[in-house]
Amino acid sequence: MTTALRICPLCEATCGLTLTIDDGRVTGARGDHDDVFSSGFICPKGASFAELDNDPDRLSAPLIRRDGVLTEATWDEAFAAVADGLGAVVRDHGGSSVGVYLGNPNAHTVAGALYPPLIVRGVGTHQVYSASTLDQMPKHVSLGLMFGSPVAFTVPDLDRTDYLVVIGANPLVSNGSLATAADFGGKLRKLRKRGGTLVVIDPARTRTAELADRHLAPRPGTDAALLGAVVNVLFDEDLVTLGALADYVAGLDEVRDVARDFTPEIVAAHCGIEADEIRTLARELAAAPTAVVYGRMGTSTVEFGTLGSWLVDVVNILTGNLDRPGGAMFPLSPVAPAPRGHRPGRGFSTGRWHSRVSGHPEVLSEFPVVALAEEIETPGEGQIKAMITIAGNPVLSAPDGDRLDRALAGVGFMISVDPYLNETTRHADVVLPPPPPSRSPHFDFALNNVAVRNNARYSPPVLALQGRPDEAEILSRIALVLYGIGVDADPALVDEQVIATTLAKETADAASPVAGRDVGELTAMLDDGPGYERRLDMMLRVGAYGDAFGARPDGLTLQRLKAAPHGIDLGPLQPRLPDLLRTPSGLIELAPSQLIADAQRLRDSLGHRSGGFVLIGRRHLRSNNSWMHNLPALAGGTNRCTLRIHPDDAAELGLSDTAVVKGSGGELVVPIEVTEDIRRGVLSLPHGWGHDRDGTGQKLAAGQPGVNVNQLNDGAAVDPLSGTAVLNGIPVVVEPAVSPA
Ligand SMILES: Nc1nc2c(c(=O)[nH]1)N[C@H]1C(S)=C(S)[C@@H](COP(=O)(O)OP(=O)(O)OC[C@H]3O[C@@H](n4cnc5c(=O)[nH]c(N)nc54)[C@H](O)[C@@H]3O)O[C@H]1N2
Ligand SMILES: Nc1nc2c(c(=O)[nH]1)N[C@H]1C(S)=C(S)[C@@H](COP(=O)(O)OP(=O)(O)OC[C@H]3O[C@@H](n4cnc5c(=O)[nH]c(N)nc54)[C@H](O)[C@@H]3O)O[C@H]1N2
Ligand code: SF4
Ligand SMILES: [Mo]
């Protein structure tokens, strides 16, 4: 028996694991106490790494549809089928007829970070969709408009803050999102131990709320109005202090004007929170030595998601807490480009093109997932004729999965890169399964950019590939087809092309740490491992902490990272303003015109709410979106697909065990769970369930299928600035289920 280190890829906490290996397979996982970032923390999902890695339902060979049936094939046959199928569609209908859907685990894999952008560019399509428009797209838009970069993430400085407001997030269960922190709960407990205050704003009394000094339970969908009232109080009571930001903030007066209508009294009636509670919140945020508001899913996937995401940062700015220790700070990832000084940028815009059927504006070069089905169904120039899905399950994760399910069944040719046959990939003509995590490398390209402490860690594959391609190779071969080079070419060509282009750009940039150097010389210095390692090495070396290819001899290289298997701590977050601003003005745009205009819609909504029930989501610790319901260690117990409802509501409706819930997209029969831990008038149901379709390959999950909450939602409601589906606060009707007797 041996052990090996591996960063956990299962959520955003990025815990370091120590795997036990016996006879060529993973047999156990525990927290790595020496990991510089996670110090031994682990959750039940990480602890089930061995089960996940060895799940017998994982595909070990590719599948090709033959005579309508998915059958095992060799890799050569599968890649040939990809070349034929994709080649034919591109030849007959053009690259613009190929749709791409990128799911959540792309944020957790090396391949998912490095290759999908090349595939999208290779097809030359605008038909790009991802889980972002079911999740954090509103944050990208607000960051883009305010700071000029949609990835200039602000994260709560958990280790140093005195006052934390968590709004619409449940990090004790989710383990944190867009704020990468292993042991988020431990950090919250430490905050309280050092005399700090934790306020949780959530219609449900979550595990995070239970830990809080104060829990406010607003009506779902009203966060933006609530934050608008906080801004109102900050101005009204003269509590605005920009501090060190004073010289860099534009638009203060416009924000003051907009906030005028959001008086605590008007908003209180709308949110269902006392006006005094709102005033206290604003005063305490202003008075605390340091304070930070942190918002997530409940603030994002709602009717006013972009406004809510914006107002989170507005409050942080108005209280002088942006970019200072203990406030909201900008991480500096080891693969972020080396800072190049404060200079105006091009800014951020959306709507550079629009979707064909409903005219949705492009956001970050994507269309809303809710538009995918209609783009497949609707004939005409640009109709989707082929689909590539990578690490996703939109049939369950997006609204109206039944419609998407039917649409996907009609797509001419579909490729899915996924280890499982699920509700989505069952429609593929070719399924290309990547190897399990023990046989894949790990580096957090995306999540280091939201980590609450700067760090760098790399895990090479722990076990050998056993003759199958890794995900980098799978995606590279798809790219080779699309670039017209041919599926049998050397996949390393893809990486070498990226390296050549990137280094050419870097060496030509006078502000780059490798300005004027020779591309050939730099290329020759790169790690001689696989292509993805060479690219990582390049990014690290020209990055913020890099060795600049020898010019800064103490700097980071992949070799140094490999020599530090528990990772390298890069210290607490540091102030980064004004250097990171990329707005045309070079300032923080506090009042972007799009947001000010959308605030009118929010103002109009005040006082207009229907009296009926609204539905919100819920996550469970031993679940992960739609794809971890197949592991015995995680199944059952409290991890159940039930409708939570307040006892008084249940009594009033005469509900005892089962309810019918009806929404815009359909109805479901679901067991109820009566609990005081939810606001009256609010129901919660987790997503990712509904494993009762034929042709999937997760037996345990199919045995306890649950229902698909997203079938209640027709997907018509989106946050207009980001195209993000409204998943929280959707109106529903609930009734007792008529018993079959
Ligand atoms: N009602 C409601 N709906 C929601 C949400 C909600 O809160 N409420 N949450 C939304 C959010 S935040 C998200 S992120 C989306 C998620 O939406 P999706 O990303 O569409 O769905 P997942 O269930 O995460 O599916 C992930 C897929 O990736 C596969 N996979 C796992 N590991 C790998 C790998 O290493 N490589 C590859 N290629 N594939 C892999 C899994 O087998 C699975 O099929 O769901 C959204 N849907
Ligand atoms: N165990 C587990 N961990 C996960 C996942 C998982 O499925 N399971 N998924 C991962 C993914 S993809 C993501 S994006 C993250 C999400 O991470 P989080 O955002 O922390 O997770 P959620 O549980 O969706 O938390 C949203 C909270 O918002 C509340 N809420 C709903 N509507 C409103 C509202 O209108 N206002 C306010 N203030 N609150 C509201 C809900 O009650 C819920 O507690 O979790 C990640 N981690
Ligand atoms: S908290 Fe997330 S990263 Fe850490 S062990 Fe659990 S699933 Fe893995
Ligand atoms: Mo997500």
Side-chain angles (χ1 to χ4, degrees):
M1 205 174 76
T2 56
T3 62
L5 299 173
R6 214 271 179 208
I7 299 161
C8 178
L10 300 176
C11 88
E12 299 183 43
T14 70
C15 301
L17 305 180
T18 304
L19 305 179
T20 45
I21 313 290
D22 200 0
D23 201 16
R25 66 206 299 263
V26 181
T27 53
R30 56 178 199 274
D32 170 18
H33 288 277
D34 298 319
D35 185 281
V36 296
F37 187 71
S38 63
S39 311
F41 181 78
I42 189 170
C43 85
K45 277 188 290 179
S48 71
F49 187 101
E51 263 187 15
L52 180 79
D53 212 62
N54 299 315
D55 185 351
D57 287 344
R58 252 176 201 279
L59 300 171
S60 55
L63 306 176
I64 299 181
R65 192 171 297 279
R66 290 180 171 126
D67 301 323
V69 183
L70 282 170
T71 37
E72 278 200 10
T74 66
W75 282 97
D76 284 344
E77 288 167 337
F79 286 126
V82 166
D84 285 351
L86 210 49
V89 172
V90 172
R91 194 174 52 242
D92 296 347
H93 306 282
S96 61
S97 70
V98 180
V100 180
Y101 176 84
L102 304 172
N104 168 276
N106 285 301
H108 301 269
T109 64
V110 165
L114 297 182
Y115 301 94
L118 305 174
I119 290 178
V120 168
R121 216 171 305 149
V123 226
T125 182
H126 284 170
Q127 297 283 14
V128 183
Y129 303 81
S130 86
S132 294
T133 52
L134 303 168
D135 186 349
Q136 85 289 359
M137 196 60 106
K139 192 74 191 169
H140 286 300
V141 174
S142 71
L143 296 172
L145 294 174
M146 294 177 90
F147 306 122
S149 162
V151 292
F153 282 103
T154 50
V155 306
D157 187 8
L158 294 180
D159 292 329
R160 293 180 289 185
T161 194
D162 298 290
Y163 192 101
L164 174 65
V165 178
V166 173
I167 179 163
N170 184 13
L172 256 73
V173 167
S174 68
N175 281 306
S177 182
L178 297 187
T180 282
D183 195 12
F184 209 118
K187 287 181 186 296
L188 297 184
R189 281 180 208 104
K190 278 190 192 142
L191 157 70
R192 298 203 54 213
K193 236 192 202 146
R194 64 177 180 263
T197 303
L198 173 66
V199 178
V200 171
I201 305 178
D202 195 310
R205 187 162 67 211
T206 60
R207 288 184 54 192
T208 309
E210 275 167 17
L211 205 68
D213 295 274
R214 199 171 331 130
H215 172 213
L216 305 179
R219 284 197 186 90
T222 63
D223 288 359
L226 178 62
L227 292 166
V230 170
V231 172
N232 174 291
V233 176
L234 291 175
F235 279 112
D236 191 50
E237 302 191 2
D238 217 7
L239 298 173
V240 172
T241 40
L242 296 180
L245 304 174
D247 291 343
Y248 299 111
V249 174
L252 197 62
D253 293 339
E254 286 96 318
V255 171
R256 180 193 286 117
D257 286 347
V258 163
R260 274 210 181 95
D261 295 332
F262 294 86
T263 63
E265 278 68 25
I266 290 178
V267 168
H270 184 71
C271 298
I273 287 186
E274 299 290 319
D276 281 350
E277 293 272 21
I278 300 174
R279 288 210 168 82
T280 303
L281 180 64
R283 288 172 193 156
E284 290 186 355
L285 276 165
T290 65
V292 56
V293 183
Y294 160 66
R296 260 320 263 127
M297 283 297 281
T299 294
S300 183
T301 51
V302 289
E303 216 183 327
F304 301 99
T306 304
L307 282 180
S309 303
W310 167 61
L311 287 164
V312 163
D313 281 321
V314 168
V315 171
N316 289 331
I317 290 168
L318 296 181
T319 53
N321 281 303
L322 181 71
D323 199 41
R324 75 161 172 188
M329 300 194 77
F330 300 97
L332 185 59
S333 156
V335 288
R340 282 156 205 204
H342 184 208
R343 60 201 154 101
R346 260 181 301 177
F348 172 77
S349 58
T350 61
R352 292 165 298 168
W353 52 86
H354 291 80
S355 72
R356 198 172 56 97
V357 181
S358 288
H360 292 285
E362 143 292 322
V363 178
L364 251 74
S365 305
E366 292 182 21
F367 293 137
V369 183
V370 295
L372 177 54
E374 68 186 20
E375 290 291 332
I376 296 172
E377 290 162 352
T378 313
E381 180 76 26
Q383 181 185 11
I384 294 178
K385 299 285 189 184
M387 271 306 293
I388 304 174
T389 76
I390 306 172
N393 192 6
V395 168
L396 291 190
S397 53
D400 200 354
D402 286 351
R403 180 176 176 190
L404 186 58
D405 198 41
R406 287 190 301 271
L408 289 172
V411 164
F413 182 70
M414 175 165 159
I415 303 170
S416 289
V417 182
D418 202 291
Y420 286 110
L421 265 187
N422 65 26
E423 294 71 17
T424 300
T425 62
R426 72 193 185 113
H427 291 296
D429 297 288
V430 184
V431 182
L432 304 168
S438 63
R439 299 173 198 277
S440 310
H442 192 90
F443 181 86
D444 283 298
F445 286 95
L447 300 174
N448 275 317
N449 195 37
V450 291
V452 299
R453 192 173 168 98
N454 292 320
N455 73 93
R457 290 170 297 152
Y458 175 66
S459 314
V462 166
L463 297 173
L465 280 168
Q466 296 177 310
R468 58 192 283 189
D470 60 18
E471 188 161 8
E473 179 177 343
I474 293 171
L475 299 182
S476 293
R477 288 201 187 278
I478 297 175
L480 286 169
V481 171
L482 294 167
Y483 285 96
I485 301 171
V487 77
D488 298 326
D490 181 359
L493 280 174
V494 173
D495 299 301
E496 293 312 312
Q497 182 59 43
V498 174
I499 289 168
T501 322
T502 313
L503 288 179
K505 231 190 260 164
E506 282 287 335
T507 52
D509 179 347
S512 164
V514 294
R517 304 267 301 267
D518 177 66
V519 171
E521 175 213 332
L522 302 187
T523 310
M525 289 172 76
L526 289 174
D527 191 283
D528 57 8
Y532 60 81
E533 284 198 349
R534 290 169 60 75
R535 285 172 67 187
L536 173 56
D537 192 30
M538 171 184 72
M539 292 166 82
L540 290 170
R541 297 178 86 163
V542 298
Y545 310 85
D547 84 331
F549 287 88
R552 291 192 302 241
D554 295 337
L556 213 51
T557 63
L558 183 57
Q559 203 184 357
R560 288 226 164 90
L561 207 47
K562 284 180 174 172
H566 305 285
I568 296 176
D569 177 40
L570 298 168
L573 306 183
Q574 301 292 331
R576 292 191 59 202
L577 289 175
D579 286 21
L580 67 58
L581 296 175
R582 287 293 172 274
T583 49
S585 62
L587 301 173
I588 298 171
E589 294 294 348
L590 200 62
S593 56
Q594 296 90 326
L595 292 165
I596 297 297
D598 201 35
Q600 177 70 46
R601 190 173 60 96
L602 178 62
R603 209 175 308 152
D604 294 345
S605 79
L606 294 178
H608 294 280
R609 47 177 186 83
S610 65
F613 282 92
V614 290
L615 183 72
I616 61 172
R618 181 173 94 229
R619 284 177 155 77
H620 285 266
L621 189 56
R622 293 183 302 139
S623 187
N624 195 11
N625 297 331
S626 77
W627 70 282
M628 286 180 67
H629 295 144
N630 206 48
L631 307 183
L634 300 181
T638 54
N639 182 16
R640 289 174 59 226
C641 183
T642 57
L643 184 77
R644 286 200 184 150
I645 182 166
H646 191 277
D648 296 345
D649 287 333
E652 229 171 76
L653 292 166
L655 293 179
S656 49
D657 47 14
T658 310
V660 182
V661 193
K662 297 177 183 171
S664 58
E667 62 178 75
L668 300 171
V669 179
V670 58
I672 63 163
E673 187 182 338
V674 175
T675 169
E676 303 261 356
D677 293 343
I678 193 155
R679 210 192 132 94
R680 285 206 66 182
V682 181
L683 308 165
S684 84
L685 194 56
H687 71 283
W689 295 87
H691 305 295
D692 51 1
R693 292 173 209 259
D694 293 337
T696 62
Q698 290 160 283
K699 291 179 210 76
L700 185 69
Q704 308 167 352
V707 295
N708 175 14
V709 63
N710 285 319
Q711 201 50 52
L712 294 173
N713 188 342
D714 67 4
V718 295
D719 166 48
L721 293 179
S722 68
T724 302
V726 176
L727 303 173
N728 280 297
I730 64 170
V732 291
V733 172
V734 59
E735 296 162 358
V738 184
S739 70

